[in-house]
């Protein structure tokens, strides 16, 4: 068994203390930063980092920081400098499936005070301690917000692309879309829906909350701050509208194609009749 495999057997929940490399007690705040780097992270092949917790994965990073790795392609760093973050990305590059070049990110300052009322004040999140469970909950909220940001931009671009289809449905004089293009749009919207609801599970609470119900209030505050559910509903409605538009265009295209075939058959029948009459007349 490799060192990474043995680390994976560690409990998912543990308090990160100075003994385990993180010592933030003397810092007023630390910066958490989430960014999307790919469609997926292949975490099973990760064997060069020391794991601190699992589900989701937390690894040591930088001089005093750590990073949470979410399998749906998002990395959340805690207390890392720009150089340390770049070094982490270089180390993780072989594990990124279908890399995404994007500058979309979410940042949040975190302050730790024992017995503090866990709350958001401006852009500062107050936490009672830096336990793995709390970092995982914060990471899940930031990660889902980044994914929503990414697909909000993607879907906005799709809306611009399908505008000619809508004009075509209205009978305006525009170039008819190709069936292949329409099928590509349908496949793209299905993939987005699959990731949002089946992989990222934006509408679901993260596993640490199910394991420790006392974290429920913290997650709900973050969920409300980043409007995760509201944005998910809007994206779902937009995806449904895109699907309806593309499917309607496809149906019209197939109908027009069917009408053309019918006309071709009719013309062939007329030609055959004309040839038969001509043959009778020339005998």
């Amino acid at each position: 068994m490799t060192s990474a495999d043995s680390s994976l057997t560690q409990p998912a929940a543990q308090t990160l203390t100075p003994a385990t490399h993180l010592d933030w007690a003397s810092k007023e705040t630390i910066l958490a930063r989430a960014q999307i780097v790919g469609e997926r992270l292949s975490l099973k092949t990760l064997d060069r980092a020391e794991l601190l917790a699992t589900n989701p994965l937390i690894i040591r990073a930088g001089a005093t920081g750590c990073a949470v790795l979410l399998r749906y392609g998002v990395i959340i760093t805690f207390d890392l400098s720009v150089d340390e973050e770049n070094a982490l990305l270089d180390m993780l590059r072989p594990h990124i499936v279908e890399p995404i070049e994007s500058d979309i990110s979410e940042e949040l300052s975190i302050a730790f005070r024992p017995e503090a009322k866990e709350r958001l004040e401006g852009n500062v999140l107050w936490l009672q301690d830096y336990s793995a469970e709390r970092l995982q909950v914060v990471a899940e909220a930031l990660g889902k917000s980044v994914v929503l940001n990414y697909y909000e931009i993607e879907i906005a671009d799709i809306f611009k692309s399908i505008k000619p289809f809508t004009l075509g449905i209205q009978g305006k004089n525009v170039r008819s879309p190709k069936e292949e293009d329409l099928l590509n749009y349908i496949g793209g919207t299905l993939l987005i829906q699959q990731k949002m609801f089946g992989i990222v599970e934006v509408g679901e609470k993260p596993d640490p909350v199910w394991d420790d119900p006392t974290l429920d209030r913290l997650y709900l505050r973050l969920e409300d701050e980043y409007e995760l559910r509201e944005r998910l509903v809007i994206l779902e409605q937009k995806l449904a509208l895109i699907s309806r538009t593309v499917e309607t265009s496809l149906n019209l295209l197939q109908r027009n194609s069917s009408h053309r075939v019918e006309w071709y058959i009719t013309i062939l029948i007329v030609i055959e009749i004309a040839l038969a009459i001509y043959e009778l007349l020339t005998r």
Side-chain angles (χ1 to χ4, degrees):
M1 180 180 292
T2 66
S3 60
D5 291 334
S6 61
S7 298
L8 287 171
T9 61
Q10 296 175 6
Q14 55 178 304
T15 299
L16 303 179
T17 65
T20 58
H21 158 92
L22 304 179
D23 187 4
W24 297 330
S26 60
K27 298 188 176 184
E28 288 190 10
T29 62
I30 65 162
L31 181 66
R33 183 170 184 268
Q35 58 181 318
I36 186 167
V37 296
E39 288 294 330
R40 188 164 56 85
L41 285 174
S42 181
L43 301 178
K44 291 182 179 179
T45 60
L46 189 66
D47 58 3
R48 293 197 300 164
E50 186 175 350
L51 308 183
L52 300 176
T54 61
N55 201 30
L57 212 63
I58 304 180
I59 63 171
R60 300 178 189 272
T64 60
C66 66
V68 178
L69 312 181
L70 302 177
R71 59 192 177 94
Y72 47 82
V74 177
I75 298 172
I76 302 90
T77 58
F78 293 87
D79 197 33
L80 261 65
S81 67
V82 174
D83 290 340
E84 290 172 338
E85 190 174 288
N86 291 335
L88 174 68
L89 290 175
D90 288 339
M91 187 271 286
L92 293 174
R93 211 168 298 281
H95 309 283
I96 300 173
V97 180
E98 297 181 43
I100 293 173
E101 295 295 331
S102 173
D103 57 0
I104 296 173
S105 64
E106 288 280 6
E107 292 186 354
L108 180 65
S109 296
I110 304 176
F112 303 97
R113 296 292 184 274
E115 307 302 325
K117 181 181 179 182
E118 295 186 318
R119 66 197 186 280
L120 268 163
E121 285 187 358
N123 196 40
V124 177
L125 173 66
W126 290 84
L127 296 179
Q128 293 180 354
D129 57 53
Y130 43 93
S131 65
E133 303 96 324
R134 282 177 168 78
L135 297 185
Q136 288 167 329
V137 168
V138 173
E140 286 275 11
L142 291 176
K144 290 175 180 178
S145 182
V146 164
V147 171
L148 284 170
N149 265 339
Y150 177 74
Y151 283 114
E152 283 165 352
I153 294 172
E154 289 280 301
I155 291 172
D157 291 339
I158 293 175
F159 262 107
K160 294 178 184 177
S161 301
I162 66 171
K163 184 178 180 180
F165 304 167
T166 308
L167 295 174
I169 293 172
Q170 291 178 325
K172 304 277 180 76
N173 186 21
V174 295
R175 182 181 64 85
S176 299
K178 296 180 180 179
E179 184 173 347
E180 182 181 353
D181 295 334
L182 293 171
L183 291 174
N184 283 337
Y185 279 113
I186 292 174
T189 55
L190 289 175
L191 284 174
I192 292 175
Q193 288 174 321
Q194 181 187 31
K195 181 161 186 176
M196 296 302 300
F197 298 100
I199 300 176
V200 182
E201 297 178 332
V202 176
E204 300 293 326
K205 295 179 182 179
D207 289 335
V209 174
W210 293 110
D211 297 335
D212 184 358
T214 60
L215 298 173
D216 187 60
R217 184 175 297 178
L218 171 62
Y219 182 72
L220 289 176
R221 283 174 178 160
L222 291 169
E223 183 183 63
D224 183 62
E225 172 68 19
Y226 293 104
E227 300 179 333
L228 300 183
R229 290 186 180 273
E230 293 84 351
R231 291 162 66 191
L232 180 63
V233 169
I234 293 171
L235 280 183
E236 189 176 12
Q237 292 171 344
K238 288 183 177 180
L239 287 169
L241 179 57
I242 290 170
S243 295
R244 279 204 310 275
T245 303
V246 174
E247 288 170 6
T248 302
S249 298
L250 184 59
N251 289 336
L252 288 174
L253 185 64
Q254 291 172 341
R255 188 196 67 179
N256 293 338
S257 177
S258 176
H259 285 173
R260 282 196 297 270
V261 171
E262 290 173 1
W263 273 108
Y264 294 153
I265 294 172
T266 302
I267 291 170
L268 287 173
I269 292 173
V270 171
I271 291 173
E272 284 194 19
I273 293 172
L275 290 174
I277 293 173
Y278 177 78
E279 188 175 337
L280 288 173
L281 293 174
T282 55
R283 281 181 181 176

